[in-house]
Amino acid sequence: AAWSDALELRSQRVFTTLARLPVITIAAVQGAAVAGGFELALACDLRVVGPRARFWLPETAIGILPAAGGTTRLSRLVGPSRAKEVILGGRQVDAETALAWGIAHRIADDPFVEARSWALEIAKRDHVALRRAKERLDADESDLSLLGERVAEAGLYHRRR
């Protein structure tokens, strides 16, 4: 891939669009959420995981970054120190750790059933209040930070030429 492709990273655009939807989104993770799968889950507002779920961002091992929102969203969610442990140190996060760190909100034997049930509960709440609350909670997710991911990724692609 060309460095210019990294600047136009489609997966980051898609995940950012998902993150900014005016509705509440819930990811259900049954097994491994690796690389883009983890970044997709991070773009959702809430995450329900199965007991054997695990999360991993292995990109730095192959010379790229988790640039589809992974560095920005994971650091914002768990703090820079834990994000560094995952991104720089290669740590795989199991379901219990994901719950303790706030990556996961619930662990369920069937995360898809639990996510659907939770969605039905949320749907009973006031939609305007939910939308406004989500806007305020997400207000500090900066376009500049997401752009920084793409620029760093583009530099890595350019280096490979």
Side-chain angles (χ1 to χ4, degrees), residues 25-107:
T25 56
I26 304 174
V29 178
Q30 180 74 334
V34 178
F38 190 180
E39 291 175 295
L40 174 61
L42 289 170
C44 293
D45 298 304
L46 305 168
R47 287 160 295 283
V48 179
V49 304
R52 294 191 355 240
R54 63 186 171 91
F55 299 86
W56 186 30
L57 293 171
E59 288 88 339
T60 58
I62 58 171
I64 61 174
L65 299 176
T71 59
T72 296
R73 292 191 180 100
L74 183 62
S75 183
R76 180 174 174 247
L77 186 63
V78 303
S81 181
R82 286 183 171 155
K84 287 177 181 180
E85 184 176 359
V86 173
I87 295 168
L88 305 179
R91 177 167 178 173
Q92 294 185 34
V93 179
D94 63 21
E96 291 293 332
T97 303
L99 183 65
W101 286 8
I103 294 169
H105 296 93
R106 297 181 180 183
I107 296 177

Side-chain angles (χ1 to χ4, degrees), residues 13-30:
R13 260 197 335 264
V14 170
F15 297 166
T16 298
T17 298
L18 173 66
R20 293 182 179 166
L21 287 174
V23 296
I24 309 307
T25 56
I26 304 174
V29 178
Q30 180 74 334

